[in-house]
Each structure stands twice: as C-alpha cells, then as structure tokens.
Amino acid sequence: AVVGARSMAQAMAARKLPLPAVGSELAVRYVLEGNIRRSPEGIEFNVQLSDAASAASIWARQIKEAATEPGDLRLQIAQSLLFPLRTAFMDAEARRISGLPDATLTADDLLLKVGALNNHLPLTPAKNAESTAMLERALALDPTSAEVMIRLAEQTLRPIFEFNERKAERLLRARALADRARASAAGSEPMLALQAQILRAEGRFDEALAAYM
C-alpha cells in the first residue's frame, strides 16, 4: 500500500472512477475521501476511509467547528480527526494481516498488529502478553531491527508502570534490548524515550526527566 500523490488523487477525483478502479490504478488498499464546507458560522468536514477493493466504508466522521483562528483550527482537526483516522486505518490493516497465513507474516506486519492492539485501552496483562509475544516473534524474524528492539523493550517495561509489577527480569531484558538497539539508533527520539523509561523504571526520576528534554 502507498499514499498517492495529491495531483494523482485530484486527477482520479475528476475522472469519477469507482473506488475499485481507483485502488487498482493507484495500487492502494484504502481511499480517503472528504469535503470541506465553509460558512460564516464555521467549517464542516466530512471524511470517509474506504476499502478500495470492496468500496466498503471503514470509518467516517463529520466534524463541525466554529470559526476560529487557523492555529486553533489545526489543533481541533488533529484532536478530532487524525488520531481516530490513524486508529481506524491501523485496525483495518490489522484485520487484513490477521487473514494472511501465519507463516507469511513479516516483522513489519507484527509491528502494525501490536500498534493497533495498543491503540485501544485499557491495557491488560493478557493484552500486554499478546503484544510482547508478537514483538518477540518480530525480533526473531528481523534480529537487527532497532525499531523492533525498542518497541519490545517498551512493551516489556509497561507492566512496571501499568500494573506495578516489579520484576527484575523485566528491567534486565529492557536494558539488554536498549544496548543492542543503541548500536544503530543512538540519539534517535525513540531511543532517548526508551532510555528515559528505563531510568523511570529504576526510580531515577530526575534523570528520566532530563533524558526526555
């Protein structure tokens, strides 16, 4: 799946093709459609995410916002549209991946499934264990991926913060993964965030705060 260029999407809209034809020509799995209506009272957005092959609607949202400053409007759109849209897209991809033969799944497929699972609260011990197992499998498939190591370390630490589970082996595992990931991801934002989480789990709160800054 790819994101089509704006000019290509505009050309497709002008041709008024059915969604399956759009998906085939653009080689995309999903199509995002929408319109904006302005009035003296404010702005109305209508947005819909659809499966390109079946034309079935996956997610739709109507948003009405009062007239406001552009900066405030961008924040309102981000809060009311972007996260729900991202969650709907990841859920759709997770459902698609779940229908694939288990032996064909890649590390990226497993990362997406974990991300989709973690989008939905609350976190439970069973959900954390499921996510951890998928990340362990992702690491076995791609042993050099710093992204997988960091995500697995974060998932390993979550019960310490969420369930007050003080198991020394969790910290040891997270530290070991962080050491491996640091070789290729030192200084990256995810790496710095992980280091701060490890410090927090160790009770070194001032150092953790400094690591985030």
Side-chain angles (χ1 to χ4, degrees), residues 70 171 191 211:
L171 264 175
M191 188 72 242

Side-chain angles (χ1 to χ4, degrees), residues 25-175:
E25 289 202 30
L26 295 182
V28 294
R29 295 192 186 106
Y30 307 100
V31 174
L32 183 66
E33 303 171 276
N35 58 66
I36 301 175
R37 296 179 181 177
R38 298 178 182 272
S39 71
E41 291 74 32
I43 299 178
E44 178 181 310
F45 298 85
N46 291 284
V47 185
Q48 178 170 292
L49 179 69
S50 302
D51 180 278
S54 67
S57 175
I58 295 171
W59 175 88
R61 182 67 56 89
Q62 182 183 71
I63 303 168
K64 295 181 179 180
E65 298 290 354
T68 184
E69 294 296 322
D72 294 336
L73 181 59
R74 284 192 291 270
L75 179 59
Q76 290 166 353
I77 293 171
Q79 291 175 335
S80 57
L81 177 62
L82 296 184
F83 180 75
L85 174 59
R86 176 179 178 271
T87 299
F89 165 73
M90 292 180 70
D91 285 347
E93 272 294 272
R95 288 192 296 270
R96 181 190 67 81
I97 291 168
S98 294
L100 299 175
D102 195 59
T104 67
L105 299 187
T106 66
D108 285 340
D109 291 334
L110 293 164
L111 281 172
L112 190 142
K113 287 189 69 176
V114 169
L117 188 63
N118 286 341
N119 279 339
H120 298 281
L121 298 175
L123 176 69
T124 63
K127 186 185 291 186
N128 188 77
E130 182 182 357
S131 294
T132 300
M134 284 192 283
L135 290 168
E136 291 282 11
R137 183 179 170 197
L139 186 60
L141 289 169
D142 191 353
T144 63
S145 171
E147 181 182 5
V148 174
M149 294 175 205
I150 291 170
R151 293 278 296 278
L152 177 55
E154 291 173 339
Q155 201 74 43
T156 300
L157 291 171
R158 290 190 77 175
I160 296 176
F161 307 128
E162 301 288 342
F163 315 128
N164 200 28
E165 183 183 301
R166 296 292 173 181
K167 290 187 176 180
E169 58 264 32
R170 288 197 175 278
L171 264 175
L172 290 173
R173 177 68 167 142
R175 288 193 197 107

